[in-house]
Short mmCIF file of all heavy atoms in Angstrom, two decimals:
data_model
loop_
_atom_site.label_atom_id
_atom_site.label_comp_id
_atom_site.label_asym_id
_atom_site.label_seq_id
_atom_site.Cartn_x
_atom_site.Cartn_y
_atom_site.Cartn_z
N SER A 410 60.65 104.58 -13.63
CA SER A 410 61.50 104.41 -12.56
C SER A 410 62.95 104.32 -13.00
O SER A 410 63.88 104.97 -12.44
CB SER A 410 61.13 103.20 -11.68
OG SER A 410 59.87 103.35 -11.13
N THR A 411 63.15 103.50 -14.07
CA THR A 411 64.60 103.20 -14.52
C THR A 411 64.97 104.12 -15.64
O THR A 411 66.09 104.27 -15.98
CB THR A 411 64.71 101.76 -14.93
OG1 THR A 411 63.85 101.50 -16.11
CG2 THR A 411 64.23 100.81 -13.87
N GLY A 412 63.95 104.72 -16.37
CA GLY A 412 64.23 105.47 -17.51
C GLY A 412 64.57 104.67 -18.76
O GLY A 412 65.01 105.25 -19.76
N ARG A 413 64.33 103.39 -18.68
CA ARG A 413 64.65 102.52 -19.85
C ARG A 413 63.43 102.17 -20.70
O ARG A 413 62.41 101.97 -20.20
CB ARG A 413 65.25 101.21 -19.21
CG ARG A 413 66.51 101.31 -18.49
CD ARG A 413 67.70 101.47 -19.40
NE ARG A 413 68.94 101.64 -18.67
CZ ARG A 413 70.11 101.69 -19.28
NH1 ARG A 413 70.25 101.50 -20.55
NH2 ARG A 413 71.25 101.83 -18.56
N ASP A 474 67.71 107.12 -30.32
CA ASP A 474 68.40 107.96 -29.35
C ASP A 474 68.31 107.51 -27.97
O ASP A 474 69.10 107.89 -27.06
CB ASP A 474 67.83 109.45 -29.47
CG ASP A 474 68.01 110.08 -30.77
OD1 ASP A 474 69.22 109.93 -31.32
OD2 ASP A 474 67.15 110.70 -31.35
N ILE A 475 67.26 106.69 -27.64
CA ILE A 475 67.05 106.28 -26.23
C ILE A 475 67.15 104.81 -26.04
O ILE A 475 67.13 104.33 -24.91
CB ILE A 475 65.66 106.78 -25.72
CG1 ILE A 475 64.49 105.98 -26.41
CG2 ILE A 475 65.48 108.31 -25.94
CD1 ILE A 475 63.21 106.29 -25.73
N ARG A 477 68.41 101.28 -25.19
CA ARG A 477 69.52 100.85 -24.28
C ARG A 477 70.16 102.00 -23.50
O ARG A 477 71.30 101.94 -23.18
CB ARG A 477 70.57 100.05 -25.09
CG ARG A 477 70.01 98.77 -25.62
CD ARG A 477 71.04 98.03 -26.52
NE ARG A 477 71.30 98.77 -27.77
CZ ARG A 477 70.57 98.66 -28.84
NH1 ARG A 477 69.42 97.87 -28.83
NH2 ARG A 477 70.78 99.33 -29.91
N ARG A 478 69.38 103.09 -23.26
CA ARG A 478 69.92 104.24 -22.48
C ARG A 478 68.87 104.62 -21.43
O ARG A 478 67.69 104.32 -21.59
CB ARG A 478 70.24 105.36 -23.38
CG ARG A 478 71.31 105.06 -24.43
CD ARG A 478 71.66 106.30 -25.33
NE ARG A 478 72.34 107.28 -24.56
CZ ARG A 478 72.75 108.45 -25.06
NH1 ARG A 478 72.41 108.79 -26.34
NH2 ARG A 478 73.31 109.34 -24.33
N ASP A 479 69.39 105.26 -20.43
CA ASP A 479 68.48 105.82 -19.42
C ASP A 479 68.10 107.24 -19.80
O ASP A 479 68.99 108.14 -19.92
CB ASP A 479 69.22 105.83 -18.03
CG ASP A 479 68.41 106.34 -16.91
OD1 ASP A 479 67.37 107.03 -17.19
OD2 ASP A 479 68.68 106.07 -15.75
N VAL A 480 66.76 107.49 -20.06
CA VAL A 480 66.42 108.85 -20.54
C VAL A 480 66.81 109.89 -19.53
O VAL A 480 66.95 111.08 -19.93
CB VAL A 480 64.93 108.85 -20.80
CG1 VAL A 480 64.52 107.90 -21.87
CG2 VAL A 480 64.09 108.62 -19.56
N TYR A 481 66.85 109.52 -18.25
CA TYR A 481 67.21 110.54 -17.25
C TYR A 481 68.69 110.91 -17.30
O TYR A 481 69.11 112.02 -16.73
CB TYR A 481 66.86 110.08 -15.86
CG TYR A 481 65.34 109.82 -15.67
CD1 TYR A 481 64.94 108.56 -15.13
CD2 TYR A 481 64.44 110.75 -15.93
CE1 TYR A 481 63.59 108.32 -14.96
CE2 TYR A 481 63.09 110.53 -15.69
CZ TYR A 481 62.70 109.29 -15.25
OH TYR A 481 61.36 109.04 -15.01
N GLU A 482 69.49 110.14 -17.95
CA GLU A 482 70.93 110.41 -18.06
C GLU A 482 71.32 111.02 -19.40
O GLU A 482 72.50 111.33 -19.57
CB GLU A 482 71.72 109.15 -17.88
CG GLU A 482 71.61 108.52 -16.44
CD GLU A 482 72.43 107.20 -16.35
OE1 GLU A 482 72.98 106.68 -17.39
OE2 GLU A 482 72.41 106.68 -15.24
N LEU A 483 70.35 111.32 -20.29
CA LEU A 483 70.57 111.98 -21.51
C LEU A 483 70.90 113.48 -21.18
O LEU A 483 70.48 114.03 -20.18
CB LEU A 483 69.38 111.96 -22.43
CG LEU A 483 68.93 110.54 -22.87
CD1 LEU A 483 67.70 110.60 -23.71
CD2 LEU A 483 70.08 109.85 -23.68
N ASP A 484 71.68 114.13 -22.07
CA ASP A 484 72.00 115.54 -21.93
C ASP A 484 70.76 116.34 -21.95
O ASP A 484 70.03 116.36 -22.94
CB ASP A 484 72.94 115.96 -23.04
CG ASP A 484 73.53 117.33 -22.76
OD1 ASP A 484 73.33 117.80 -21.66
OD2 ASP A 484 74.16 117.84 -23.70
N PRO A 485 70.39 116.99 -20.85
CA PRO A 485 69.09 117.73 -20.76
C PRO A 485 69.04 119.01 -21.55
O PRO A 485 69.08 120.14 -21.04
CB PRO A 485 68.95 118.01 -19.27
CG PRO A 485 70.35 118.15 -18.81
CD PRO A 485 71.16 117.17 -19.58
N VAL A 486 69.01 118.87 -22.88
CA VAL A 486 68.94 120.01 -23.76
C VAL A 486 67.80 119.84 -24.71
O VAL A 486 67.48 118.69 -25.12
CB VAL A 486 70.27 120.26 -24.59
CG1 VAL A 486 71.36 120.58 -23.61
CG2 VAL A 486 70.59 119.00 -25.33
N VAL A 489 64.77 116.97 -25.25
CA VAL A 489 65.06 115.90 -24.25
C VAL A 489 64.50 116.23 -22.96
O VAL A 489 63.99 115.39 -22.15
CB VAL A 489 66.60 115.65 -24.15
CG1 VAL A 489 66.87 114.65 -23.04
CG2 VAL A 489 67.04 115.03 -25.52
N LEU A 492 61.01 115.24 -22.65
CA LEU A 492 60.87 113.78 -22.38
C LEU A 492 61.14 113.45 -20.94
O LEU A 492 60.37 112.68 -20.35
CB LEU A 492 61.83 113.04 -23.31
CG LEU A 492 61.93 111.61 -23.14
CD1 LEU A 492 60.63 110.86 -23.37
CD2 LEU A 492 63.06 110.99 -24.00
N GLN A 493 62.17 114.05 -20.40
CA GLN A 493 62.57 113.74 -19.01
C GLN A 493 61.50 114.27 -18.05
O GLN A 493 61.11 113.53 -17.13
CB GLN A 493 63.88 114.37 -18.69
CG GLN A 493 65.08 113.72 -19.48
CD GLN A 493 66.33 114.48 -19.29
OE1 GLN A 493 66.32 115.73 -19.10
NE2 GLN A 493 67.44 113.82 -19.46
N LYS A 497 59.10 112.00 -15.41
CA LYS A 497 59.11 112.31 -13.93
C LYS A 497 57.72 112.61 -13.49
O LYS A 497 57.36 112.20 -12.40
CB LYS A 497 60.04 113.46 -13.71
CG LYS A 497 61.54 113.07 -13.88
CD LYS A 497 62.42 114.26 -13.57
CE LYS A 497 63.91 113.94 -13.71
NZ LYS A 497 64.78 115.08 -13.48
#
Side-chain angles (χ1 to χ4, degrees):
S410 298
T411 66
R413 297 280 180 174
D474 296 316
I475 70 168
R477 293 178 290 279
R478 301 182 68 183
D479 182 341
V480 298
Y481 298 127
E482 294 180 355
L483 298 176
D484 191 9
V486 295
V489 170
L492 172 63
Q493 293 171 333
K497 287 179 181 177

